[in-house]
Amino acid sequence: MKRFVYINDDEASQELYCDNRISNRKYTLLNFLPKNLWEQFSRFMNQYFLLIACLQLWSLITPVNPASTWGPLIFIFSVSASKEAWDDYNRYISDKKANEKEVWVVRQGIKKHIQAQNIRVGNIVWLRENDEVPCDLVLVGTSDPQGLCYIETAALDGETDLKTRLTPSACMGIDLELLHKIKGVIECPNPDKDIRRFDANMRLFPPFIDNDVCPLTIKNTLLQSCYLRNTEWACGVAVYTGNETKLGMSRGIPEPKLTAMDAMIDKLTGAIFVFQIVVVVVLGIAGNVWKDTEARKQWYVLYPQKDPWYELLVIPLRFELLCSIMIPISIKVSLDLVKSLYAKFIDWDVEMIDQETDTSSHATNTAISEDLGQVEYILTDKTGTLTENKMIFRRCCISGLFYGNESGDALKDVQLLNAIASNSPDVIRFLTVMAICNTVVPVQSKTGAISYKAQSQDEDALVHAAAEMHMVFVNRNANILEIRFNSSIIQYEVLETLEFTSDRKRMSVVVKDSQNGKIILLSKGADEAILPYASAGQQTRTFIEAVEQYAQLGLRTLCLAWRELDEDEYQDWSLVFKEASSTLVDREWRIAEACQRLEHDLEVLGVTAIEDRLQRERKGKEKPKGQLLLIDGKTEDEVYQSLERVLLTMRITTSEPKDVAFVVDGWALEIALKHYRKAFTELAILSRTAICCRVTPSQKAQLVELLKSCDYRTLAIGDGGNDVRMIQQADIGVGISGREGLQAARAADYSIGKFKFLKRLILVHGRYSYNRTAFLSQYSFYKSLLICFIQIFFSFVSGVSGTSLFNSVSLMAYNVFYTSVPVLVNVLDKDLSEGTVMQHPQILFYCQAGRLLNPSTFAGWFGRSLFHAIVIFVISINAYAYEKSEMEELSMVALSGCIWLQAFVVALETNSFTILQHLAIWGNLAAFYIINWIFSALPSSGMYTIMFRLCGQPSYWITMFLIVGAGMGPILALKYFRYTYRPSKINTLQQAERMGGPILSLGNIEPQQRSIEKEVSSLCIAQPKGRNPVYEPLLSDSPNSTRRSLGSGAPFDFFQSQSRLSTSYSRNCKDN
């Protein structure tokens, strides 16, 4: 589908397309309440609690006042609705500000000032310097004589460097006054969200041009939210407006990520629900049996002689309402609240502020902090993430001669400088390609100094290096390039630019030498994209050796080449390229095909080597020892052999541990993922470290998906736009606010200033978040099960009738006030100091393995709640039941026992006390008595004088002492036994912290090896017919090994831990 935009025609497009009103609101005043309620009730737990609340309205079956459920339910819904309303109101204010901004447009040939929301498709919009672009425009004129303008796209894609935009060739040279009267039509695709692509055509109506088709690309557009910079004015035709702009189409709420802990909580909630149904059925049957056998014999039980048809359901439904509190109604709100605090802790962490750029860390996603503590695989970009992204030209190889090898700096190599001074033809051509085969824009200051605006750090380094060697790129004047070499000016006319793509891995320009009229193709790119296309007679062995040598030194390599073109060859190719550039269907593919027709029989000029230094914090730490095993090959058969040998080696290392990693290039990775996916999956699981070279953005995302298919928690980190797909695919995405801009940081769940902060993000914030959330979630179930079990036990002494021991006010206060405040303060708890955690990263294994929240730990909390319920009920019933007191007194004694026990439980589970935590635990206990004294003073409360009477009885305090002693004694004994005789590594560290002594060696935390056979079942490679099945491993004692020794140093491990952080439980990979 496509649309036709009629330029400067106020009527043609008015009814067809929307205006420029922006609306990011989720709700309106009319649909807010029904839409928000629908969203909240779409969750199973909310539906469940609504059903319980509705059943409580049936007076025949409800054991408590309906307010005990309706009150918390309405409170929780109100909090969620208020948050949604506030967020939507802020979106409305932002939209209103953007819509009412004043802009200049042309209406009926006259320039007018209107609000941005009134722009229509086809209007000509005028911009001045530093103006924000109000909608998507096709550029038709600028103040620059050559039709250039500069825009800042940071708000759109996060990239901080200025971009150049060019007026279409059809509009070049049109006078300023005639731009008001320009007429024509733009044929473009329907709105989409791809901000890097715009395939369209333009036709101007006479007298402006003779109706020729002019192809348009993204370089001819100004997209919404960009800013016009360093340009006096520019004007463009509105093609997409309102929510149909590319930015508007890409807006939206991302799909929420489900953390491993959330998934476990959902499973445990389901298990509790099943248990609850079983209890309800059993007690319902028992209640009906008791009613029909024993109840009718009691004179005080007045049952009718003939029961209605629904009588059998009354007791089961009553127990359903009584047991409904097994699932805590407030758990979701509590978890959301503490997760928001975890995110704020990341934002407030002063130790994660990059001092060089004053960039602080930020948590965009507030719901997955605990997943940081369960990360098992980290996938990281290199350039700008592990390195500084500051490119420096170091060495080069020209026509087989190496420069810069001795001094380490080719710019100071005397032999190269002499070759330049003697005008060596090979060197001059090499420098020419370095200087002009790019999209760099030279900017000359008033003092005459030249600076360069480059979209790539590599191009910037090459142009600066060429300038240092006297080949200075002076000016880009539309299609005319000027370079100055030894005080003489050389001009080239740019005929075509063949842009770089991640698939082609090279870029080329076709230029015409103004001196001799020769047409030349200049190309630069990766070795795999240049060397295979060298002319048949040229020897490339030296260049291959140069690439290998520079790569071993950790330098970035590019190959440079050129080819002279015949006039006829260029003209024929130009027609094909122009046709491909003007098509609206598969334009990118057809352009790539056209480029392939020209980029062949190249004369390779040489190889450049650029240094991208590691970040200072990584130096001295990245010294791995062991071997790098290479997976390479250009054909399926070659990749098969290489992969099989490496896989055999990795299988051996599981029983004979060695520090072994593997390296794979993009081409071999493509074949492995397509034909040997299962085998490569096994290799990925067995390996501690893998290095993937020259991979595309889609391949990065595929690697993440590969590990996620085996249920591993993945974290992806990068700093550029090519990392966005990988970041969004991972369970946790981390973006670095680097020199490549903010695009990765904006797409990520977390943004940090430098890679070094990742360790603190995972070990400190991730681990603390996991520990705290594990306690909070299990404690929430514990306190709900405790009160529910007491209700169940009471039913055995109340005729299994479903009568509630506690009144409605006590139940509501118990869930909302008495038990919530102490546990929420647990967000400040730290089992170990931050310094200890950073010093011993191997303890992260306990989080990775889910040691603190799993069915076993939950069973412990379940048993604890059952045991405490028995203690409270038995002691209370024997102290205050029968004719000794009223039922209200028994209820208050049991409730007091719950509050006392839970205060000591929270205190026992707290590792680091602060004043706030003491205040929350013991102050909450005091508040319990103050609140109940107030209620006991009110005659209408139903608790009149109860608390006064109880507190005046020594037996009450003796009962509390017995409950606490009997309830906490066995738990303290068990905890002491584990801490003393079976301490974990964490207990060892805690003891060392308390004693003030250092831990020199914590030892290995190596669980039972997971079963690879279970994880990747049947991962053998399908063997071609006739192949010898015997392959030798690639270890150091193998005569046929293909490896690279890495010297001595630390093992392959992100955190440099002494053991491999693996999990003890097996997973089953999904069939790929």
Side-chain angles (χ1 to χ4, degrees):
M1 297 293 292
K2 55 187 177 182
R3 65 164 54 180
F4 294 91
V5 177
Y6 293 92
I7 303 173
N8 215 0
D9 192 329
D10 296 335
E11 297 179 359
S13 304
Q14 188 160 356
E15 302 299 329
L16 295 176
Y17 311 118
C18 66
D19 59 18
N20 198 42
R21 183 178 287 104
I22 298 171
S23 178
N24 295 307
R25 296 176 61 189
K26 187 177 179 181
Y27 307 101
T28 65
L29 289 176
L30 295 178
N31 71 8
F32 173 75
L33 189 60
K35 188 174 182 179
N36 184 263
L37 288 176
W38 175 263
E39 290 176 349
Q40 296 207 51
F41 284 121
S42 63
R43 303 170 188 144
F44 170 74
M45 289 185 66
N46 289 345
Q47 295 173 7
Y48 168 77
F49 289 121
L50 178 64
L51 175 63
I52 297 300
C54 291
L55 287 175
Q56 286 188 345
L57 297 176
W58 189 3
S59 60
L60 183 64
I61 65 172
T62 180
V64 294
N65 192 307
S68 63
T69 299
W70 280 102
L73 190 66
I74 292 174
F75 174 77
I76 290 171
F77 280 6
S78 299
V79 170
S80 298
S82 299
K83 180 179 179 298
E84 289 286 332
W86 177 252
D87 291 343
D88 207 52
Y89 175 73
N90 288 330
R91 287 191 288 265
Y92 164 74
I93 295 299
S94 177
D95 292 344
K96 187 173 185 292
K97 183 179 178 181
N99 288 331
E100 295 180 355
K101 186 176 294 185
E102 298 289 328
V103 296
W104 289 98
V105 301
V106 175
R107 292 279 176 85
Q108 298 177 349
I110 302 174
K111 193 187 298 184
K112 295 182 178 180
H113 218 201
I114 66 170
Q115 291 185 345
Q117 62 186 350
N118 296 323
I119 296 174
R120 309 293 304 196
V121 171
N123 287 163
I124 295 180
V125 180
W126 287 78
L127 304 172
R128 292 175 294 184
E129 186 174 3
N130 298 324
D131 278 355
E132 182 181 2
V133 182
C135 59
D136 290 351
L137 307 175
V138 168
L139 192 65
V140 294
T142 74
S143 57
D144 185 81
Q146 307 302 324
L148 291 174
C149 73
Y150 302 93
I151 60 171
E152 179 187 296
T153 62
L156 184 68
D157 58 16
E159 296 182 7
T160 54
D161 292 331
L162 295 183
K163 309 286 193 310
T164 58
R165 291 296 183 259
L166 182 66
T167 302
S169 58
C171 301
M172 295 290 287
I174 296 180
D175 189 72
L176 173 62
E177 298 300 326
L178 293 178
L179 286 175
H180 291 77
K181 304 175 183 179
I182 192 172
K183 294 283 185 177
V185 62
I186 297 174
E187 181 184 9
C188 59
N190 278 339
D192 59 57
K193 60 183 179 181
D194 190 350
I195 62 173
R196 302 191 179 280
R197 185 173 178 178
F198 180 71
D199 300 335
N201 293 321
M202 172 191 285
R203 284 187 178 91
L204 294 184
F205 298 154
F208 296 96
I209 200 169
D210 192 17
N211 217 22
D212 277 349
V213 175
C214 175
L216 303 176
T217 68
I218 197 67
K219 290 187 176 295
N220 305 122
T221 63
L222 306 177
L223 300 185
Q224 184 187 41
S225 294
C226 297
Y227 285 84
L228 187 68
R229 304 295 192 198
N230 299 344
T231 307
E232 186 179 345
W233 61 265
C235 65
V237 180
V239 288
Y240 302 130
T241 53
N243 288 340
E244 292 185 345
T245 63
K246 290 184 178 290
L247 181 62
M249 297 289 288
S250 62
R251 290 192 188 104
I253 301 174
E255 289 294 325
K257 293 183 177 181
L258 182 67
T259 66
M261 187 166 285
D262 287 336
M264 179 58 67
I265 291 173
D266 289 345
K267 293 177 182 178
L268 297 176
T269 302
I272 290 295
F273 179 73
V274 172
F275 173 74
Q276 174 187 319
I277 296 300
V278 172
V279 170
V280 168
V281 170
V282 171
L283 293 178
I285 294 173
N288 281 316
V289 170
W290 189 88
K291 182 187 70 172
D292 292 335
T293 57
E294 298 295 328
R296 297 187 189 279
K297 298 177 183 180
Q298 308 298 328
W299 63 268
Y300 55 85
V301 180
L302 302 177
Y303 280 111
Q305 293 296 324
K306 187 177 181 181
D307 296 333
W309 63 270
Y310 54 80
E311 187 66 25
L312 289 175
L313 299 177
V314 171
I315 293 179
L317 288 176
R318 188 175 294 167
F319 274 110
E320 172 62 31
L321 297 179
L322 205 63
C323 297
S324 63
I325 58 175
M326 278 188 182
I327 301 175
I329 191 173
S330 61
I331 185 171
K332 184 181 184 301
V333 172
S334 300
L335 289 176
D336 288 345
L337 177 60
V338 297
K339 287 180 179 182
S340 299
L341 288 174
Y342 300 155
K344 286 299 180 183
F345 292 158
I346 295 174
D347 295 346
W348 296 335
D349 193 342
V350 295
E351 294 192 31
M352 292 178 63
I353 298 177
D354 182 14
Q355 300 298 331
E356 293 183 10
T357 60
D358 196 29
T359 302
S360 59
S361 302
H362 176 63
T364 305
N365 191 333
T366 61
I368 62 172
S369 294
E370 67 271 20
D371 243 11
L372 284 167
Q374 294 192 278
V375 169
E376 296 166 285
Y377 280 88
I378 297 174
L379 297 97
T380 175
D381 176 47
K382 179 180 73 71
T383 304
T385 303
L386 297 176
T387 65
E388 295 181 349
N389 202 15
K390 297 178 181 179
M391 309 298 181
I392 302 174
F393 183 86
R394 288 299 186 192
R395 306 185 185 197
C396 62
C397 173
I398 306 175
S399 298
L401 298 178
F402 289 81
Y403 300 102
N405 279 8
E406 296 181 0
S407 63
D409 188 354
L411 300 180
K412 298 178 181 178
D413 191 300
V414 177
Q415 187 179 0
L416 178 59
L417 296 177
N418 291 335
I420 296 172
S422 60
N423 291 333
S424 169
D426 292 338
V427 174
I428 299 303
R429 288 189 298 171
F430 184 84
L431 296 179
T432 301
V433 177
M434 284 179 58
I436 64 176
C437 184
N438 51 58
T439 57
V440 175
V441 177
V443 178
Q444 192 164 359
S445 66
K446 295 180 180 179
T447 60
I450 298 176
S451 60
Y452 297 106
K453 297 291 184 181
Q455 299 181 27
S456 163
Q457 299 295 328
D458 291 275
E459 288 188 346
D460 186 70
L462 291 177
V463 173
H464 274 97
E468 289 285 332
M469 292 182 283
H470 310 294
M471 188 69 72
V472 184
F473 186 15
V474 178
N475 188 28
R476 182 186 291 270
N477 193 348
N479 292 333
I480 303 300
L481 308 180
E482 292 183 359
I483 56 177
R484 184 176 65 242
F485 180 67
N486 291 337
S487 72
S488 62
I489 298 295
I490 306 172
Q491 289 188 343
Y492 293 92
E493 179 186 357
V494 178
L495 303 179
E496 300 290 352
T497 299
L498 285 59
E499 297 184 357
F500 173 88
T501 66
S502 58
D503 293 325
R504 294 174 57 243
K505 297 182 180 179
R506 62 179 176 269
M507 74 92 58
S508 303
V509 293
V510 181
V511 298
K512 186 174 184 178
D513 191 331
S514 300
Q515 293 179 337
N516 52 33
K518 291 182 178 180
I519 299 176
I520 310 168
L521 172 71
L522 311 180
S523 297
K524 75 171 188 293
D527 56 292
E528 62 191 70
I530 296 292
L531 298 182
Y533 300 97
S535 58
Q538 185 176 14
Q539 293 294 326
T540 59
R541 181 182 298 275
T542 304
F543 300 121
I544 295 174
E545 292 175 354
V547 170
E548 182 74 14
Q549 176 183 328
Y550 295 150
Q552 289 181 355
L553 295 173
L555 302 177
R556 299 166 61 90
T557 59
L558 283 174
C559 294
L560 309 187
W562 88 345
R563 180 166 78 93
E564 289 190 15
L565 305 177
D566 295 333
E567 180 73 26
D568 294 338
E569 180 187 6
Y570 167 71
Q571 293 298 336
D572 293 341
W573 175 85
S574 180
L575 294 176
V576 175
F577 186 75
K578 185 175 181 180
E579 181 183 355
S581 300
S582 60
T583 184
L584 298 183
V585 180
D586 295 330
R587 177 182 290 189
E588 186 176 357
W589 178 81
R590 294 187 63 179
I591 288 178
E593 186 181 36
C595 294
Q596 191 72 26
R597 294 188 178 186
L598 197 66
E599 295 170 324
H600 61 83
D601 294 332
L602 301 175
E603 180 184 351
V604 181
L605 301 176
V607 180
T608 64
I610 297 174
E611 180 187 28
D612 185 13
R613 290 176 293 185
L614 289 172
Q615 294 177 13
R616 285 197 296 270
E617 294 78 10
R618 308 306 306 164
K619 288 184 179 180
K621 298 182 180 181
E622 303 298 328
K623 295 180 180 178
K625 64 180 180 180
Q627 302 170 33
L628 279 180
L629 309 181
L630 181 63
I631 301 176
D632 60 359
K634 298 300 181 183
T635 65
E636 185 179 337
D637 191 61
E638 292 175 351
V639 173
Y640 168 82
Q641 296 182 48
S642 181
L643 180 59
E644 180 71 359
R645 288 195 174 100
V646 172
L647 187 55
L648 178 59
T649 303
M650 289 296 181
R651 285 170 177 164
I652 293 175
T653 60
T654 59
S655 57
E656 301 176 8
K658 294 177 181 287
D659 290 313
V660 180
F662 73 88
V663 182
V664 60
D665 61 19
W667 187 268
L669 179 64
E670 185 74 20
I671 296 174
L673 291 175
K674 183 177 181 180
H675 299 286
Y676 309 120
R677 188 178 181 88
K678 289 185 177 181
F680 190 81
T681 303
E682 180 182 358
L683 185 60
I685 294 173
L686 288 172
S687 303
R688 178 175 298 178
T689 302
I691 301 173
C692 304
C693 308
R694 300 190 185 279
V695 292
T696 63
S698 62
Q699 287 176 325
K700 293 181 180 181
Q702 284 180 306
L703 290 172
V704 175
E705 192 274 332
L706 189 77
L707 294 170
K708 287 179 66 177
S709 67
C710 294
D711 293 334
Y712 285 99
R713 310 305 292 182
T714 58
L715 181 148
I717 179 171
D719 72 318
N722 61 335
D723 303 316
V724 168
R725 292 183 62 179
M726 172 181 69
I727 287 172
Q728 293 178 333
Q729 180 71 26
D731 294 300
I732 300 172
V734 180
I736 292 181
S737 305
R739 293 171 62 86
E740 290 189 28
L742 303 174
Q743 190 173 0
R746 288 180 173 173
D749 302 304
Y750 301 92
S751 63
I752 56 179
K754 283 188 177 178
F755 184 84
K756 67 176 181 176
F757 299 128
L758 181 63
K759 183 175 182 179
R760 181 175 176 84
L761 182 68
I762 292 176
L763 290 179
V764 175
H765 294 285
R767 185 177 173 277
Y768 284 159
S769 299
Y770 172 80
N771 291 354
R772 295 161 179 168
T773 306
F775 170 72
L776 171 61
S777 55
Q778 292 177 114
Y779 175 83
S780 297
F781 281 104
Y782 159 78
K783 68 184 182 66
S784 297
L785 288 168
L786 174 63
I787 203 80
C788 188
F789 281 139
I790 294 175
Q791 297 272 50
I792 293 173
F793 295 150
F794 179 72
S795 69
F796 293 123
V797 298
S798 60
V800 201
S801 59
T803 302
S804 176
L805 173 61
F806 306 102
N807 61 48
S808 303
V809 176
S810 297
L811 284 176
M812 187 162 52
Y814 175 84
N815 281 313
V816 177
F817 300 109
Y818 299 152
T819 58
S820 296
V821 175
V823 73
L824 289 178
V825 184
N826 181 259
V827 297
L828 302 175
D829 189 39
K830 298 178 180 180
D831 61 336
L832 295 168
S833 67
E834 295 178 3
T836 301
V837 172
M838 294 288 284
Q839 185 180 356
H840 303 283
Q842 58 266 46
I843 61 175
L844 187 69
F845 161 72
Y846 292 99
C847 300
Q848 290 177 320
R851 289 289 183 86
L852 299 185
L853 177 61
N854 54 58
S856 298
T857 60
F858 185 78
W861 282 94
F862 184 92
R864 183 185 297 193
S865 65
L866 179 60
F867 170 66
H868 283 172
I870 293 173
V871 169
I872 293 171
F873 183 75
V874 170
I875 294 177
S876 299
I877 204 76
N878 282 281
Y880 280 87
Y882 307 107
E883 298 179 358
K884 297 180 182 179
S885 64
E886 302 173 1
M887 181 175 169
E888 286 77 7
E889 289 185 353
L890 175 63
S891 169
M892 187 55 64
V893 170
L895 185 64
S896 300
C898 290
I899 303 302
W900 274 93
L901 267 183
Q902 289 176 62
F904 279 93
V905 166
V906 173
L908 182 65
E909 298 297 332
T910 299
N911 297 285
S912 59
F913 282 98
T914 63
I915 295 178
L916 187 61
Q917 285 165 306
H918 279 296
L919 185 63
I921 295 172
W922 311 118
N924 185 74
L925 185 61
F928 165 75
Y929 284 98
I930 294 173
I931 292 172
N932 281 283
W933 283 336
I934 294 173
F935 275 98
S936 295
L938 302 176
S940 60
S941 65
M943 300 169 55
Y944 189 52
T945 71
I946 289 179
M947 186 56 76
F948 295 126
R949 281 181 284 160
L950 288 175
C951 291
Q953 300 171 4
S955 59
Y956 171 79
W957 299 107
I958 294 173
T959 302
M960 294 300 105
F961 177 79
L962 290 175
I963 288 175
V964 172
M968 296 304 298
I971 295 177
L972 283 169
L974 182 61
K975 199 174 185 72
Y976 175 80
F977 173 79
R978 287 181 175 175
Y979 189 84
T980 305
Y981 299 104
R982 297 184 62 186
S984 65
K985 302 296 184 182
I986 293 177
N987 297 146
T988 303
L989 292 173
Q990 288 173 332
Q991 186 177 8
E993 282 190 346
R994 293 189 179 103
M995 296 178 64
I999 297 292
L1000 299 179
S1001 177
L1002 189 60
N1004 291 345
I1005 304 178
E1006 188 68 42
Q1008 180 181 355
Q1009 280 290 341
R1010 54 181 177 233
S1011 174
I1012 297 298
E1013 289 77 11
K1014 291 182 179 179
E1015 291 184 24
V1016 279
S1017 56
S1018 303
L1019 291 189
C1020 58
I1021 301 181
Q1023 193 169 277
K1025 293 182 180 180
R1027 177 170 298 284
N1028 185 353
V1030 178
Y1031 292 96
E1032 294 184 2
L1034 301 179
L1035 298 178
S1036 55
D1037 53 357
S1038 170
N1040 294 329
S1041 61
T1042 303
R1043 68 184 193 277
R1044 297 175 186 172
S1045 177
L1046 299 179
S1048 60
F1052 289 112
D1053 201 327
F1054 173 72
F1055 293 126
Q1056 295 183 292
S1057 61
Q1058 298 176 1
S1059 65
R1060 181 174 178 173
L1061 301 181
S1062 58
T1063 55
S1064 60
Y1065 51 92
S1066 63
R1067 300 177 175 88
N1068 292 321
C1069 285
K1070 300 167 187 173
D1071 187 13
N1072 292 304

